[in-house]
Amino acid sequence: MIIRKVELETVCGITSTLPDNQYPEFAFAGKSNVGKSSLINALMNRKSLARTSSQPGKTQTINFYNINDALYYVDLPGYGYAKASVEVKAKWGKMIERYLHKSVMLRCIFLLVDIRHEPSENDKLMYDWILSGGYHPVIIATKLDKLKRSQVQKHVKMVREGLGVEKDGIVIPFSAETKQGREEIWELIDRIVESQEGEQEDSRTVLP
């Protein structure tokens, strides 16, 4: 994918009205500090448009990035941030739920998990919740560069089994440092956009 134009077009808070976008949307979900902003920056071929931070819980809005006037990357608030209050966590959850239920242009959800560890209870809950909404999440196993090459397949299997990924479910190992996995994600996005062209805008379930 050649990135010609990138723009942070819309920022939605808890009470904001969701945008009525005309292009396919690709959402990114994951627990706090899993590397979501780093992944989105890599996919936009930018260093710091999506704000990265060593402080978890930085993303507290839904951010819509216009890519090439052809599609959107949608950065969702991170979940499982321990220091956030119960009230704040509930508001973030409702904001994510509202988006997933109401966006008619959402075509695929990427769920990020840390490849080094077994999926957390929050990861499992999010995976099952996305499935229950009629979507088939693509798993991005981040922080690949933290593993030795000989460990990768073992940890991919651990992620698959920990989440209970469907047999035909996709798991893509990714490194923000080396950009390994980026081309595979770009190709997947391109395929989905092409397959959706000409179909009704209210199509909800995507099987990559």
Side-chain angles (χ1 to χ4, degrees), residues 158-175:
M158 178 179 73
V159 167
R160 277 187 171 277
E161 293 179 349
L163 291 174
V165 175
E166 300 165 298
K167 187 176 181 181
D168 58 350
I170 299 173
V171 178
I172 302 175
F174 173 78
S175 166

Side-chain angles (χ1 to χ4, degrees), residues 125-143:
L125 287 171
M126 179 59 78
Y127 179 78
D128 291 340
W129 186 62
I130 293 170
L131 279 179
S132 71
Y135 295 97
H136 295 261
V138 174
I139 308 303
I140 307 297
T142 62
K143 305 185 187 290

Side-chain angles (χ1 to χ4, degrees), residues 74-111:
V74 183
D75 187 5
L76 301 175
Y79 56 81
Y81 179 39
K83 291 185 180 180
S85 68
V86 173
E87 182 182 359
V88 168
K89 287 178 183 177
K91 287 180 178 178
W92 290 353
K94 287 180 180 178
M95 184 162 53
I96 295 171
E97 184 176 13
R98 182 165 61 100
Y99 168 69
L100 295 183
H101 283 169
K102 292 192 174 182
S103 172
V104 298
M105 295 306 292
L106 179 57
R107 294 296 179 255
C108 183
I109 302 171
F110 293 97
L111 177 59

Side-chain angles (χ1 to χ4, degrees), residues 19-188:
D20 183 19
N21 291 328
Q22 304 303 309
Y23 304 127
E25 296 171 0
F26 295 82
F28 297 83
K31 65 184 178 184
S32 298
N33 222 23
V34 75
K36 191 155 46 67
S37 295
S38 296
L39 169 65
I40 293 172
N41 280 326
L43 292 175
M44 295 190 296
N45 211 17
R46 301 291 190 272
K47 287 186 177 181
S48 58
L49 187 56
R51 290 174 294 179
T52 60
S53 175
S54 58
Q55 177 186 353
K58 187 74 173 178
T59 304
Q60 300 180 20
T61 54
I62 300 177
N63 300 331
F64 293 79
Y65 295 92
N66 182 326
I67 311 298
N68 295 339
D69 286 330
L71 56 94
Y72 289 93
Y73 294 157
V74 183
D75 187 5
L76 301 175
Y79 56 81
Y81 179 39
K83 291 185 180 180
S85 68
V86 173
E87 182 182 359
V88 168
K89 287 178 183 177
K91 287 180 178 178
W92 290 353
K94 287 180 180 178
M95 184 162 53
I96 295 171
E97 184 176 13
R98 182 165 61 100
Y99 168 69
L100 295 183
H101 283 169
K102 292 192 174 182
S103 172
V104 298
M105 295 306 292
L106 179 57
R107 294 296 179 255
C108 183
I109 302 171
F110 293 97
L111 177 59
L112 281 65
V113 298
D114 190 328
I115 196 171
R116 299 172 297 177
H117 312 297
E118 289 191 17
S120 68
E121 194 60 36
N122 280 326
D123 292 330
K124 296 173 190 175
L125 287 171
M126 179 59 78
Y127 179 78
D128 291 340
W129 186 62
I130 293 170
L131 279 179
S132 71
Y135 295 97
H136 295 261
V138 174
I139 308 303
I140 307 297
T142 62
K143 305 185 187 290
L144 176 62
D145 49 279
K146 306 296 185 184
L147 294 181
K148 295 178 181 177
R149 186 175 296 179
S150 61
Q151 298 176 301
V152 173
Q153 289 308 311
K154 175 185 175 183
H155 282 251
V156 168
K157 182 180 179 183
M158 178 179 73
V159 167
R160 277 187 171 277
E161 293 179 349
L163 291 174
V165 175
E166 300 165 298
K167 187 176 181 181
D168 58 350
I170 299 173
V171 178
I172 302 175
F174 173 78
S175 166
E177 294 294 324
T178 68
K179 306 301 184 287
Q180 184 175 337
R182 179 170 65 177
E183 291 291 336
E184 192 174 348
I185 299 169
W186 272 342
E187 288 173 8
L188 179 59

